[in-house]
Amino acid sequence: MIRPKGNLVSISLLQMAKSNMEISAILSLGLFSLLLRIRIDVEASQHGIEYVQYQVPESQPYRTAYHFQSPMNWLNDPNGPMYHEGVYHLFYQYNPYGAVFGDSMIWAHSVSYDLINWVHLDHAIEPSDPFDINSCWSGSATILPGNKPAILYTGIDANNYQVQNLAFPKNLSDPFLRVWEKYTQNPVITPPSTVDALNFRDPTTAWQGEDGKWRVIVGARNGHEGMAILYQSEDFVNWTVHLSPFYRSDSTGIWECPDFYPVSINSTNGVDTSVHNPSVKHVMKASFQVNWHDCYVLGTYDPEKENFIPEDDFTGTNLDLRFDYGKFYASKTFFDPAKNRRILWAWVNESDSSQDDIEKGWAGLQSIPRQVWLDKSGKQLIQWPIEEIDKLRDKQVSINGKELISGSIFEVSGITASQADVEVSFELPELESAELIDPTRVDAQLLCSEENASSLGIIGPFGLLVLAAKDLAEQTAIFFRVYKAQNRYIGLMCSDQSRSSLRNELDKTTYGAFFRIDPNLKKISLRSLIDHSIVESFGEEGRIAITSRVYPLLAIDKEAYLYAFNNGTLNVGISKLNAWSMKKTQFDDEQSFSYSLE
Ligand code: DQQ
């Protein structure tokens, strides 16, 4: 039975019979004073649960064009991303009953041939049994020998304890792996006595050691301590706990969605999660619920002692390495054998209120999938939007060799600025004149909000104004400043949302991060993917990423503009700027899916 959770759609569903039927619900969306007709088809599933299929409401200014979104309702973590027999699978946390997080979360399921265009399938894993009756939370996929995928996920059981469960595809010859069956002996892992049973979740993709045994880690908490607990198995079904935590930290609280994988030390290629040899380092990522940051450390995995030795520990502060310094949480990677790369997905939450989300009828996006690899320095990861994104590039404008004069601003016209991809390379003036950094100001985010895009500097602030209104009454500034420190130059990259919307009551936090400037190159590069209500920016060829959500009132669709600006006293060059309008990706349900795989 559908369990209504109080949003408009579920209230309508309450009155429905089980057989196929169609209703039109006129939903009044207070925010935009729009009346949207949403067609809802309800059909009984083979599990006795009613699935909801719908048309995406038209003319919503904050729906995205080329980011992954569910047709409606609440979405959070990416789950179990994998590549299997020519098809990419993305599962994700989804509330079928409303646009806010719910107490009966499920695994929704979509498939793609190119990671850009998607087909939404029936839900893969839903609460059904005592071991997951109160929700099916996050987890990961592992491809077992014989090319058989297995999913380990967290069930919230009848006592509200967090246990780990297994599910397998019902029919391996179905190219979309539509139906998933839960292992009858679930749960396969229950909380050990050393951790809080209400905070023990999110199993990783498992890896196989040379001894043939499988290993998996699960995020956990004990008081303020956060940790990853290791389990081993010969058969993927019977798991035994390893005595001491695989890796832990003192003051981070629960580690949500840990991710543990090798990266090559001499190539941008990804490697399978089970690879362990002298040409790899390991990455340990944890999502810290205390500050909603996805942080990682690099280190060495010792399979004999069964532990991980990090090069630097998590600090639980702004000093931790992060994938993204904006909104980017519960991320997860997978190895893509088709292109020998490792791909990172993350949940990008809204910045408006729950009430706004209920009115919009949806909440949450997935980031653009990013390829990740180890920087040549060996000290951090690099991320870059997967190459498939370039296929969406449409109309192009280019500007070469332009001087961005002190105090100037100019419009980059000729593309659809609300749906764009912009790449720009800035040439810096003589660095000696850069302002001295105050060594006590170590918080980049704070510095970005105090010395924002409109405050004057010497080298910077300069950068882009995206999703801007014609008169600049609304603008999101992605900008840089350059500082001088003892014996080195420091760059600051910021994403300033403080003037992004005339609407109040939005989270307009400014984000920022420091990076090192190579004085020999005297260049800074920026790529921004702009998609109606999301801006994903990559500085320094993927060394820094900042994602923000913005909801302009004026700067929507054709009324959005793109500018370049310089508020520093020194001129900056634009050696190259390329901007493209971006095409919309295709999201289908299975019925309207035009390809045939049978
Ligand atoms: N979201 C899931 C949990 C996970 C959290 C529940 C992270 O499994 O810890 O939707 O966003």
Side-chain angles (χ1 to χ4, degrees):
M1 271 301 294
I2 281 188
R3 289 192 276 159
K5 300 286 163 171
N7 90 336
L8 293 164
V9 171
S10 0
I11 289 165
S12 310
L13 292 174
L14 238 194
Q15 295 132 21
M16 288 189 176
K18 269 202 164 171
S19 56
N20 288 352
M21 61 186 295
E22 184 179 291
I23 61 163
S24 288
I26 307 287
L27 304 182
S28 167
L29 299 188
L31 184 61
F32 314 112
S33 307
L34 290 175
L35 288 178
L36 297 177
R37 285 174 70 85
I38 299 183
R39 207 195 83 200
I40 303 164
D41 295 323
V42 176
E43 37 180 60
S45 82
Q46 61 251 55
H47 307 297
I49 292 171
E50 291 151 350
Y51 286 111
V52 186
Q53 287 172 355
Y54 15 75
Q55 284 177 340
V56 178
E58 292 296 332
S59 33
Q60 286 223 24
Y62 307 140
R63 292 285 296 183
T64 60
Y66 61 95
H67 278 76
F68 184 98
Q69 277 191 278
S70 58
M72 66 189 310
N73 290 343
W74 168 276
L75 150 171
N76 57 297
D77 317 351
N79 289 159
M82 64 173 182
Y83 177 84
H84 182 255
E85 306 276 11
V87 179
Y88 292 101
H89 295 253
L90 179 66
F91 304 86
Y92 55 95
Q93 287 286 284
Y94 180 66
N95 178 7
Y97 309 115
V100 291
F101 186 74
D103 56 12
S104 201
M105 298 295 291
I106 66 145
W107 278 45
H109 185 194
S110 302
V111 287
S112 171
Y113 293 128
D114 57 8
L115 290 162
I116 299 178
N117 299 296
W118 292 89
V119 181
H120 297 302
L121 302 177
D122 283 351
H123 304 150
I125 307 177
E126 299 171 303
S128 61
D129 290 270
F131 53 77
D132 66 5
I133 195 68
N134 284 317
S135 268
C136 300
W137 279 12
S138 290
S140 307
T142 304
I143 309 285
L144 302 181
N147 218 6
K148 293 185 186 140
I151 281 174
L152 274 166
Y153 71 96
T154 298
I156 309 297
D157 76 5
N159 299 316
N160 278 322
Y161 292 155
Q162 299 183 0
V163 297
Q164 316 314 322
N165 299 319
L166 256 178
F168 299 102
K170 183 172 180 186
N171 176 8
L172 273 177
S173 56
D174 169 9
F176 284 180
L177 306 174
R178 291 170 180 87
V179 182
W180 288 74
E181 284 182 331
K182 294 172 189 173
Y183 176 56
T184 49
Q185 303 301 307
N186 277 337
V188 291
I189 297 176
T190 53
S193 58
T194 47
V195 307
D196 171 5
L198 303 179
N199 281 290
F200 174 65
R201 55 183 177 266
D202 307 337
T204 59
T205 295
W207 68 96
Q208 196 172 29
E210 277 183 359
D211 56 6
K213 282 191 203 157
W214 289 98
R215 278 97 169 148
V216 73
I217 56 173
V218 181
R221 187 187 89 166
N222 183 8
H224 294 299
E225 245 183 288
M227 63 193 83
I229 311 273
L230 180 82
Y231 286 81
Q232 293 181 336
S233 174
E234 307 263 359
D235 56 7
F236 219 82
V237 164
N238 296 291
W239 294 89
T240 45
V241 66
H242 190 71
L243 296 175
S244 52
F246 190 59
Y247 180 44
R248 52 170 291 286
S249 57
D250 286 335
S251 53
T252 53
I254 171 82
W255 286 17
E256 296 192 309
C257 302
D259 199 12
F260 184 67
Y261 53 90
V263 280
S264 168
I265 55 175
N266 46 30
S267 159
T268 59
N269 285 346
V271 287
D272 182 82
T273 312
S274 296
V275 168
H276 186 262
N277 60 39
S279 70
V280 300
K281 270 191 186 190
H282 273 77
V283 179
M284 171 72 81
K285 185 280 297 191
S287 302
F288 298 146
Q289 202 190 44
V290 279
N291 51 17
W292 297 103
H293 289 171
D294 269 29
C295 300
Y296 67 89
V297 287
L298 297 165
T300 311
Y301 166 47
D302 181 347
E304 314 258 284
K305 297 205 187 99
E306 216 55 286
N307 66 359
F308 171 69
I309 303 119
E311 290 165 7
D312 292 299
D313 270 314
F314 284 132
T315 65
T317 70
N318 281 346
L319 298 174
D320 287 331
L321 283 170
R322 286 168 64 183
F323 283 127
D324 191 297
Y325 292 82
K327 267 193 194 292
F328 190 90
Y329 193 68
S331 62
K332 189 175 292 297
T333 61
F334 74 104
F335 173 62
D336 172 11
K339 291 199 173 179
N340 271 326
R341 57 187 174 172
R342 185 162 284 273
I343 293 176
L344 170 73
W345 283 99
W347 165 41
V348 183
N349 198 1
E350 304 297 306
S351 295
D352 57 6
S353 68
S354 299
Q355 188 53 38
D356 290 334
D357 296 341
I358 290 167
E359 287 169 357
K360 304 201 295 251
W362 60 274
L365 304 174
Q366 300 295 342
S367 66
I368 289 294
R370 305 172 180 183
Q371 187 175 344
V372 278
W373 65 90
L374 188 67
D375 183 35
K376 282 205 187 85
S377 69
K379 292 190 182 313
Q380 71 160 110
L381 296 173
I382 305 287
Q383 305 159 68
W384 199 244
I386 52 162
E387 63 188 15
E388 287 85 343
I389 294 296
D390 298 0
K391 287 200 268 174
L392 297 172
R393 289 172 168 175
D394 203 359
K395 190 174 176 211
Q396 178 178 0
V397 294
S398 301
I399 295 165
N400 291 314
K402 185 173 170 76
E403 192 80 338
L404 200 46
I405 292 165
S406 163
S408 71
I409 178 164
F410 75 90
E411 188 191 339
V412 180
S413 58
I415 54 149
T416 309
S418 57
Q419 201 174 302
D421 182 358
V422 189
E423 282 197 284
V424 47
S425 181
F426 297 102
E427 234 164 72
L428 301 176
E430 281 311 317
L431 297 180
E432 292 83 67
S433 331
E435 54 206 303
L436 273 177
I437 194 153
D438 173 348
T440 62
R441 299 176 85 178
V442 290
D443 186 332
Q445 176 160 318
L446 195 63
L447 197 54
C448 285
S449 56
E450 287 172 357
E451 305 206 335
N452 62 23
S454 52
S455 67
L456 296 186
I458 298 174
I459 307 181
F462 64 85
L464 300 175
L465 299 180
V466 305
L467 293 173
K470 183 88 187 153
D471 64 357
L472 300 177
E474 292 181 322
Q475 52 176 275
T476 294
I478 318 295
F479 70 90
F480 299 96
R481 288 179 88 111
V482 178
Y483 295 93
K484 191 158 56 176
Q486 246 190 350
N487 306 327
R488 67 201 162 107
Y489 294 98
I490 297 172
L492 179 68
M493 173 170 163
C494 308
S495 179
D496 177 0
Q497 283 70 241
S498 60
R499 297 169 68 191
S500 59
S501 176
L502 294 178
R503 286 173 59 191
N504 297 319
E505 287 145 20
L506 297 169
D507 172 7
K508 295 182 183 173
T509 308
T510 289
Y511 308 119
F514 290 118
F515 60 96
R516 250 171 200 271
I517 291 206
D518 181 342
N520 300 317
L521 290 181
K522 291 205 303 176
K523 274 191 177 149
I524 294 181
S525 75
L526 171 65
R527 178 174 184 189
S528 285
L529 294 170
I530 304 157
D531 194 3
H532 299 274
S533 65
I534 181 168
V535 184
E536 286 188 62
S537 298
F538 301 84
E540 286 299 81
E541 280 146 9
R543 273 180 190 78
I544 302 172
I546 305 183
T547 298
S548 58
R549 296 301 309 279
V550 291
Y551 313 87
L553 274 185
L554 308 173
I556 59 173
D557 299 326
K558 292 203 169 68
E559 294 307 314
Y561 295 84
L562 173 68
Y563 297 92
F565 77 99
N566 179 9
N567 274 336
T569 53
L570 296 184
N571 296 353
V572 170
I574 291 189
S575 46
K576 190 172 65 180
L577 184 152
N578 286 308
W580 295 264
S581 297
M582 292 291 269
K583 290 181 220 151
K584 195 171 171 16
T585 56
Q586 212 176 321
F587 283 98
D588 292 319
D589 57 27
E590 224 185 325
Q591 285 71 31
S592 56
F593 184 45
S594 43
Y595 300 96
S596 171
L597 281 171
E598 313 297 343

